[in-house]
Amino acid sequence: MKKITQLALTVLFSVLFFQAATAKVKLPAIVSSNMVLQRNTTVILWGWADANQHLSIDASWLTTPLQVTADKEGNWKIEVKTNDSTDPQVIKISSSDTNITLDNVLFGEVWLCSGQSNMQQPLNGYPGEPTFEANKAIMHAENPNLRLFTATRKGSKSPLSDLEEYTGWEQAHAGNVRDFSAIAYFFGKQLQEILNVPVGMIHTSWGGSSVQAWISKEMISKYQEVDLEQVDITKSTNHIPTALYNAMIHPLIPYTIKGALWYQGESNRMEPEKYTELFPAMVKDWRTRWGIGDFPFYYVQIAPYWYNDHKAFETNANSAFIREAQLKSADLIPNSGMAITLDIGKEYSIHPPQKTEVAERLLYFALNQTYGYESVDCAGPAYDTKEEKDGGVLLHFKHAEMGLFTPSQLVGFEIAGPDKVFYPAQAKIVNRKDVLVSSDQVPNPVEVRYGWSNWLVGTLFDTNMLPASSFRTDNWTDATKAEVQETSK
């Protein structure tokens, strides 16, 4: 009897201890010391406590502490107004049994960065695949006004309330930037210097991931059936629909961001038509869940790479089709922009080393469309209309007000007649703003394609050296490519 009584007391003590422990206020990983809160807006602080527990939030920039009470499940959140002060701030959150102090909090610009391996690629690069200018960047990395946050790769069958693995908010320095996303770092560093305000970069990406993995179950179920009950979440996690959204995006909501950067698409190369649906759906999904309107969304068109097939043309093995899907998405996604990388791919590496250029092209969109730097050019020439002229096809372009440019000569153009057989073509810039394409082998030309292959080096630019995307004037699904003997690789 005595043993039973002792056991009962032990169990009771354990229960009371557990209840007391769980009653303490807990914050999500993304809400911590050293964080950057979006300036001049209303942000949300949130977390967990005991059911109906009262909390007081004393923020150094506010004259009066804020009061909030957790609901019956212990969830709480509160809106807080921020300003444009550049001074470090302190937030104190207190309850009957908890006192939390968040130090060194800054107001600034907050950007979310996501995607697959080219976004994940750190300044330190991958084995045998460097990031250009990394050593110089690491050497000059010390910057207390640039803050970095990384969500560790993780998947889940259902939405998680918090990140299970992460590195907390950190001030940029040589010791941590080497393992941080190169594109996110280069973007954030330059944005911080240009705006002269603090910048926070949230990195959450996974190499090899498909777009399906980043979409909520509610959204993706509109396009395909999703049943994860029997799925092993530890295998091919980055390809499981909703798995990365659940574990690497959902826990970050509703942390207020200014905008998002995205670099992904290689893993969806074989399904361009589906990507045209799913990618805009993902953006809409994120924006709806964040609830802050159509925040800026700037993304990267995948770079040329040979994909073990130099001859792919009219099949989905030709990455020009997924680049076309990404090009179409720019018109389907409001408040978006696409950084084109047709000139900076790497033939035998799917991870091009020029991440500085990629970050800069994303930054051009942010500066022009988000921050009002109208004099900064952000969009390269884009095919508009065509006409048959002088035995060839004359192409007209948008976003080429100051004219077109090529550093050497135009290559990568093909032309076809009504037989839908494409031949290599000569191309030249005329009137500084148009391109005339022709071939002696095509006497009655009707359609043109540019850069329509896995691997190429883009040659068509505007005068600010922003490249044109690969494109086609046709919508044929049964075109062929003429067998022309190659004289050089």
Side-chain angles (χ1 to χ4, degrees):
M1 183 69 178
K2 185 176 180 181
K3 289 183 178 180
I4 295 176
T5 303
Q6 289 177 336
L7 177 61
L9 289 173
T10 301
V11 171
L12 178 61
F13 176 79
S14 298
V15 170
L16 292 175
F17 178 81
F18 176 76
Q19 289 177 339
T22 56
K24 291 185 178 297
V25 177
K26 183 178 182 295
L27 299 176
I30 192 70
V31 178
S32 68
S33 294
N34 301 313
M35 66 181 171
V36 179
L37 294 176
Q38 181 60 41
R39 60 179 177 152
N40 290 327
T41 190
T42 298
V43 302
I44 295 176
L45 299 179
W46 78 100
W48 306 274
D50 200 13
N52 304 312
Q53 189 170 21
H54 179 76
L55 291 81
S56 177
I57 300 175
D58 188 3
S60 57
W61 66 95
L62 300 178
T63 58
T64 305
L66 303 174
Q67 310 298 320
V68 63
T69 300
D71 64 21
K72 61 182 180 180
E73 280 80 35
N75 302 303
W76 62 268
K77 66 179 180 179
I78 189 168
E79 294 184 346
V80 183
K81 292 185 180 297
T82 60
N83 55 46
D84 59 359
S85 172
T86 57
D87 296 329
Q89 307 292 336
V90 176
I91 303 174
K92 295 182 179 181
I93 303 173
S94 59
S95 68
S96 59
D97 56 8
T98 305
N99 288 291
I100 298 175
T101 299
L102 306 180
D103 292 311
N104 199 20
V105 175
L106 296 179
F107 299 147
E109 297 299 298
V110 182
W111 286 79
L112 177 80
C113 309
S114 187
Q116 58 181 111
S117 57
N118 272 301
M119 181 61 82
Q120 182 186 320
Q121 182 171 336
L123 273 177
N124 204 34
Y126 296 128
E129 296 178 308
T131 299
F132 286 173
E133 301 184 30
N135 215 34
K136 181 180 178 182
I138 293 169
M139 181 173 63
H140 294 284
E142 190 74 31
N143 187 347
N145 284 319
L146 177 59
R147 306 290 174 85
L148 313 176
F149 183 96
T150 297
T152 302
R153 297 185 294 279
K154 178 78 175 178
S156 174
K157 293 184 180 182
S158 59
L160 301 180
S161 60
D162 197 8
L163 297 171
E164 294 188 352
E165 299 180 46
Y166 58 92
T167 59
W169 280 102
E170 296 180 315
Q171 297 180 177
H173 58 78
N176 58 22
V177 300
R178 60 184 289 117
D179 295 318
F180 192 73
S181 162
I183 289 175
Y185 174 76
F186 286 132
F187 178 95
K189 178 180 184 294
Q190 294 188 74
L191 183 66
Q192 194 280 316
E193 292 172 350
I194 292 168
L195 299 183
N196 194 29
V197 300
V199 169
M201 303 301 295
I202 303 169
H203 173 228
T204 177
S205 62
W206 190 323
S209 58
S210 65
V211 71
Q212 289 92 331
W214 296 100
I215 305 174
S216 73
K217 183 177 181 179
E218 290 77 10
M219 176 60 79
I220 201 171
S221 293
K222 298 177 181 179
Y223 302 92
Q224 64 185 71
E225 183 177 348
V226 177
D227 183 2
L228 304 185
E229 186 174 345
Q230 304 301 322
V231 173
D232 184 351
I233 198 70
T234 66
K235 296 180 179 180
S236 301
T237 308
N238 56 351
H239 284 275
I240 298 174
T242 82
L244 305 190
Y245 166 83
N246 289 338
M248 298 177 67
I249 295 296
H250 188 268
L252 301 174
I253 303 170
Y255 196 89
T256 304
I257 60 175
K258 184 67 172 185
L261 308 179
W262 175 258
Y263 193 162
Q264 187 274 338
E266 293 91 346
S267 290
N268 292 96
R269 177 172 64 100
M270 303 301 288
E271 46 185 11
E273 292 184 3
K274 182 178 290 187
Y275 197 82
T276 308
E277 291 183 334
L278 293 180
F279 177 40
M282 185 203 78
V283 178
K284 183 178 180 180
D285 188 27
W286 289 14
R287 285 172 168 172
T288 299
R289 293 175 181 279
W290 248 281
I292 53 176
D294 287 344
F295 55 76
F297 196 100
Y298 304 129
Y299 63 98
V300 185
Q301 185 184 56
I302 66 169
Y305 168 68
W306 79 304
Y307 288 102
N308 300 315
D309 188 351
H310 279 302
K311 296 183 178 181
F313 184 66
E314 198 61 29
T315 70
N316 289 345
N318 182 353
S319 57
F321 287 99
I322 191 68
R323 294 197 299 267
E324 181 183 54
Q326 293 175 312
L327 182 63
K328 291 178 179 178
S329 295
D331 292 327
L332 299 174
I333 302 171
N335 197 15
S336 69
M338 183 180 74
I340 297 167
T341 58
L342 206 67
D343 59 321
I344 53 175
K346 194 72 173 175
E347 186 173 9
Y348 297 112
S349 173
I350 201 170
H351 305 121
Q354 292 108 319
K355 294 298 189 280
T356 304
E357 289 88 339
V358 176
E360 288 176 346
R361 291 173 188 181
L362 291 168
L363 184 62
Y364 297 153
F365 278 104
L367 292 174
N368 180 286
Q369 297 183 185
T370 303
Y371 295 108
Y373 285 66
E374 296 181 1
S375 59
V376 175
D377 187 13
C378 61
Y383 166 70
D384 190 15
T385 59
K386 64 180 173 69
E387 60 177 304
E388 296 178 25
K389 188 173 183 179
D390 299 332
V393 176
L394 188 66
L395 305 176
H396 304 290
F397 292 83
K398 300 178 290 186
H399 310 310
E401 291 78 8
M402 292 299 294
L404 302 172
F405 174 77
T406 182
S408 53
Q409 65 180 30
L410 293 178
V411 297
F413 284 86
E414 297 167 298
I415 196 166
D419 62 356
K420 302 182 182 180
V421 179
F422 280 88
Y423 290 82
Q426 295 80 46
K428 62 180 180 180
I429 297 172
V430 296
N431 303 320
R432 297 184 179 178
K433 57 185 177 60
D434 302 319
V435 173
L436 182 62
V437 185
S438 62
S439 171
D440 293 340
Q441 295 174 293
V442 184
N444 299 304
V446 293
E447 305 291 355
V448 170
R449 292 182 176 184
Y450 167 65
W452 210 256
S453 59
N454 281 330
W455 167 247
L456 72 148
V457 177
T459 57
L460 180 60
F461 300 81
D462 66 9
T463 53
N464 284 311
M465 291 305 293
L466 292 177
S469 167
S470 52
F471 65 87
R472 56 175 174 162
T473 65
D474 66 279
N475 58 4
W476 295 334
T477 59
D478 56 349
T480 58
K481 192 170 185 175
E483 291 292 332
V484 178
Q485 186 173 358
E486 297 183 12
T487 56
S488 60
K489 189 175 179 180

mmCIF file of all heavy atoms in Angstrom, residues 408-430:
data_model
loop_
_atom_site.group_PDB
_atom_site.id
_atom_site.type_symbol
_atom_site.label_atom_id
_atom_site.label_comp_id
_atom_site.label_asym_id
_atom_site.label_seq_id
_atom_site.Cartn_x
_atom_site.Cartn_y
_atom_site.Cartn_z
ATOM 1 N N SER A 408 29.164 39.703 -79.314
ATOM 2 C CA SER A 408 29.937 39.115 -80.418
ATOM 3 C C SER A 408 29.068 39.038 -81.659
ATOM 4 O O SER A 408 28.987 39.977 -82.440
ATOM 5 C CB SER A 408 30.464 37.736 -80.014
ATOM 6 O OG SER A 408 29.397 36.920 -79.536
ATOM 7 N N GLN A 409 28.400 37.925 -81.817
ATOM 8 C CA GLN A 409 27.403 37.800 -82.867
ATOM 9 C C GLN A 409 26.254 36.959 -82.359
ATOM 10 O O GLN A 409 26.412 36.160 -81.439
ATOM 11 C CB GLN A 409 28.007 37.165 -84.122
ATOM 12 C CG GLN A 409 28.464 35.730 -83.921
ATOM 13 C CD GLN A 409 29.059 35.130 -85.181
ATOM 14 O OE1 GLN A 409 29.635 35.849 -86.004
ATOM 15 N NE2 GLN A 409 28.919 33.831 -85.350
ATOM 16 N N LEU A 410 25.085 37.159 -82.927
ATOM 17 C CA LEU A 410 23.910 36.422 -82.489
ATOM 18 C C LEU A 410 23.992 34.973 -82.956
ATOM 19 O O LEU A 410 24.179 34.701 -84.145
ATOM 20 C CB LEU A 410 22.636 37.067 -83.026
ATOM 21 C CG LEU A 410 22.285 38.456 -82.489
ATOM 22 C CD1 LEU A 410 21.011 38.979 -83.159
ATOM 23 C CD2 LEU A 410 22.116 38.431 -80.972
ATOM 24 N N VAL A 411 23.850 34.064 -82.012
ATOM 25 C CA VAL A 411 23.775 32.641 -82.331
ATOM 26 C C VAL A 411 22.636 32.043 -81.527
ATOM 27 O O VAL A 411 22.105 32.660 -80.609
ATOM 28 C CB VAL A 411 25.099 31.905 -82.017
ATOM 29 C CG1 VAL A 411 26.236 32.430 -82.877
ATOM 30 C CG2 VAL A 411 25.449 32.047 -80.536
ATOM 31 N N GLY A 412 22.274 30.812 -81.864
ATOM 32 C CA GLY A 412 21.219 30.131 -81.123
ATOM 33 C C GLY A 412 19.841 30.305 -81.729
ATOM 34 O O GLY A 412 18.855 29.849 -81.144
ATOM 35 N N PHE A 413 19.748 30.940 -82.912
ATOM 36 C CA PHE A 413 18.454 31.117 -83.578
ATOM 37 C C PHE A 413 18.225 30.000 -84.582
ATOM 38 O O PHE A 413 19.153 29.531 -85.253
ATOM 39 C CB PHE A 413 18.403 32.467 -84.297
ATOM 40 C CG PHE A 413 18.207 33.637 -83.380
ATOM 41 C CD1 PHE A 413 19.293 34.244 -82.763
ATOM 42 C CD2 PHE A 413 16.938 34.137 -83.134
ATOM 43 C CE1 PHE A 413 19.122 35.322 -81.911
ATOM 44 C CE2 PHE A 413 16.749 35.222 -82.287
ATOM 45 C CZ PHE A 413 17.841 35.809 -81.672
ATOM 46 N N GLU A 414 16.962 29.576 -84.689
ATOM 47 C CA GLU A 414 16.538 28.572 -85.663
ATOM 48 C C GLU A 414 15.262 29.059 -86.324
ATOM 49 O O GLU A 414 14.478 29.794 -85.713
ATOM 50 C CB GLU A 414 16.302 27.229 -84.971
ATOM 51 C CG GLU A 414 17.560 26.646 -84.331
ATOM 52 C CD GLU A 414 17.247 25.495 -83.392
ATOM 53 O OE1 GLU A 414 16.534 25.728 -82.404
ATOM 54 O OE2 GLU A 414 17.716 24.374 -83.652
ATOM 55 N N ILE A 415 15.064 28.626 -87.547
ATOM 56 C CA ILE A 415 13.911 29.119 -88.321
ATOM 57 C C ILE A 415 13.276 27.959 -89.074
ATOM 58 O O ILE A 415 13.957 27.004 -89.464
ATOM 59 C CB ILE A 415 14.368 30.241 -89.283
ATOM 60 C CG1 ILE A 415 13.175 31.038 -89.800
ATOM 61 C CG2 ILE A 415 15.222 29.701 -90.418
ATOM 62 C CD1 ILE A 415 13.580 32.343 -90.476
ATOM 63 N N ALA A 416 11.960 28.035 -89.246
ATOM 64 C CA ALA A 416 11.229 26.959 -89.926
ATOM 65 C C ALA A 416 10.190 27.540 -90.863
ATOM 66 O O ALA A 416 9.667 28.640 -90.655
ATOM 67 C CB ALA A 416 10.557 26.051 -88.905
ATOM 68 N N GLY A 417 9.892 26.739 -91.878
ATOM 69 C CA GLY A 417 8.797 27.065 -92.780
ATOM 70 C C GLY A 417 7.549 26.309 -92.391
ATOM 71 O O GLY A 417 7.470 25.734 -91.302
ATOM 72 N N PRO A 418 6.553 26.253 -93.277
ATOM 73 C CA PRO A 418 5.303 25.549 -92.969
ATOM 74 C C PRO A 418 5.487 24.064 -92.687
ATOM 75 O O PRO A 418 4.611 23.437 -92.086
ATOM 76 C CB PRO A 418 4.458 25.776 -94.236
ATOM 77 C CG PRO A 418 5.015 27.024 -94.839
ATOM 78 C CD PRO A 418 6.480 26.978 -94.568
ATOM 79 N N ASP A 419 6.627 23.485 -93.106
ATOM 80 C CA ASP A 419 6.867 22.055 -92.857
ATOM 81 C C ASP A 419 7.272 21.764 -91.418
ATOM 82 O O ASP A 419 7.458 20.610 -91.045
ATOM 83 C CB ASP A 419 7.923 21.522 -93.822
ATOM 84 C CG ASP A 419 9.276 22.212 -93.659
ATOM 85 O OD1 ASP A 419 9.365 23.166 -92.848
ATOM 86 O OD2 ASP A 419 10.229 21.815 -94.348
ATOM 87 N N LYS A 420 7.477 22.814 -90.622
ATOM 88 C CA LYS A 420 7.790 22.692 -89.186
ATOM 89 C C LYS A 420 9.159 22.053 -88.925
ATOM 90 O O LYS A 420 9.390 21.471 -87.870
ATOM 91 C CB LYS A 420 6.700 21.900 -88.450
ATOM 92 C CG LYS A 420 5.314 22.497 -88.567
ATOM 93 C CD LYS A 420 4.290 21.691 -87.779
ATOM 94 C CE LYS A 420 2.881 22.265 -87.938
ATOM 95 N NZ LYS A 420 1.877 21.496 -87.175
ATOM 96 N N VAL A 421 10.050 22.184 -89.876
ATOM 97 C CA VAL A 421 11.413 21.706 -89.716
ATOM 98 C C VAL A 421 12.318 22.907 -89.451
ATOM 99 O O VAL A 421 12.392 23.824 -90.271
ATOM 100 C CB VAL A 421 11.898 20.931 -90.958
ATOM 101 C CG1 VAL A 421 13.344 20.459 -90.747
ATOM 102 C CG2 VAL A 421 10.980 19.750 -91.244
ATOM 103 N N PHE A 422 12.988 22.907 -88.309
ATOM 104 C CA PHE A 422 13.822 24.042 -87.928
ATOM 105 C C PHE A 422 15.270 23.848 -88.376
ATOM 106 O O PHE A 422 15.848 22.777 -88.199
ATOM 107 C CB PHE A 422 13.772 24.249 -86.414
ATOM 108 C CG PHE A 422 12.543 24.985 -85.957
ATOM 109 C CD1 PHE A 422 11.376 24.288 -85.655
ATOM 110 C CD2 PHE A 422 12.536 26.368 -85.836
ATOM 111 C CE1 PHE A 422 10.234 24.957 -85.237
ATOM 112 C CE2 PHE A 422 11.404 27.045 -85.417
ATOM 113 C CZ PHE A 422 10.246 26.341 -85.126
ATOM 114 N N TYR A 423 15.819 24.914 -88.966
ATOM 115 C CA TYR A 423 17.200 24.941 -89.415
ATOM 116 C C TYR A 423 17.968 26.031 -88.660
ATOM 117 O O TYR A 423 17.387 27.047 -88.277
ATOM 118 C CB TYR A 423 17.274 25.258 -90.920
ATOM 119 C CG TYR A 423 16.777 24.150 -91.808
ATOM 120 C CD1 TYR A 423 15.412 23.990 -92.052
ATOM 121 C CD2 TYR A 423 17.667 23.265 -92.416
ATOM 122 C CE1 TYR A 423 14.944 22.970 -92.881
ATOM 123 C CE2 TYR A 423 17.207 22.254 -93.253
ATOM 124 C CZ TYR A 423 15.859 22.119 -93.472
ATOM 125 O OH TYR A 423 15.401 21.105 -94.287
ATOM 126 N N PRO A 424 19.270 25.820 -88.454
ATOM 127 C CA PRO A 424 20.072 26.902 -87.881
ATOM 128 C C PRO A 424 19.954 28.142 -88.752
ATOM 129 O O PRO A 424 19.902 28.047 -89.988
ATOM 130 C CB PRO A 424 21.494 26.335 -87.902
ATOM 131 C CG PRO A 424 21.307 24.853 -87.931
ATOM 132 C CD PRO A 424 20.053 24.614 -88.718
ATOM 133 N N ALA A 425 19.896 29.305 -88.116
ATOM 134 C CA ALA A 425 19.619 30.531 -88.857
ATOM 135 C C ALA A 425 20.665 31.600 -88.582
ATOM 136 O O ALA A 425 21.360 31.584 -87.564
ATOM 137 C CB ALA A 425 18.235 31.052 -88.492
ATOM 138 N N GLN A 426 20.764 32.521 -89.538
ATOM 139 C CA GLN A 426 21.538 33.731 -89.319
ATOM 140 C C GLN A 426 20.612 34.766 -88.671
ATOM 141 O O GLN A 426 19.432 34.850 -89.014
ATOM 142 C CB GLN A 426 22.094 34.288 -90.633
ATOM 143 C CG GLN A 426 23.108 33.382 -91.323
ATOM 144 C CD GLN A 426 22.448 32.258 -92.097
ATOM 145 O OE1 GLN A 426 21.489 32.480 -92.832
ATOM 146 N NE2 GLN A 426 22.959 31.034 -91.932
ATOM 147 N N ALA A 427 21.175 35.516 -87.768
ATOM 148 C CA ALA A 427 20.377 36.538 -87.083
ATOM 149 C C ALA A 427 21.220 37.795 -86.936
ATOM 150 O O ALA A 427 22.422 37.725 -86.665
ATOM 151 C CB ALA A 427 19.910 36.048 -85.725
ATOM 152 N N LYS A 428 20.573 38.933 -87.132
ATOM 153 C CA LYS A 428 21.286 40.197 -86.958
ATOM 154 C C LYS A 428 20.340 41.251 -86.407
ATOM 155 O O LYS A 428 19.125 41.218 -86.629
ATOM 156 C CB LYS A 428 21.881 40.671 -88.282
ATOM 157 C CG LYS A 428 20.855 40.960 -89.372
ATOM 158 C CD LYS A 428 21.541 41.424 -90.657
ATOM 159 C CE LYS A 428 20.514 41.720 -91.761
ATOM 160 N NZ LYS A 428 21.174 42.167 -93.018
ATOM 161 N N ILE A 429 20.914 42.153 -85.628
ATOM 162 C CA ILE A 429 20.135 43.252 -85.067
ATOM 163 C C ILE A 429 19.973 44.326 -86.131
ATOM 164 O O ILE A 429 20.943 44.749 -86.768
ATOM 165 C CB ILE A 429 20.839 43.834 -83.826
ATOM 166 C CG1 ILE A 429 20.935 42.769 -82.726
ATOM 167 C CG2 ILE A 429 20.100 45.059 -83.307
ATOM 168 C CD1 ILE A 429 21.774 43.180 -81.533
ATOM 169 N N VAL A 430 18.728 44.763 -86.338
ATOM 170 C CA VAL A 430 18.451 45.825 -87.308
ATOM 171 C C VAL A 430 17.685 46.946 -86.602
ATOM 172 O O VAL A 430 16.907 46.701 -85.679
ATOM 173 C CB VAL A 430 17.641 45.301 -88.515
ATOM 174 C CG1 VAL A 430 18.448 44.272 -89.299
ATOM 175 C CG2 VAL A 430 16.321 44.689 -88.068
#
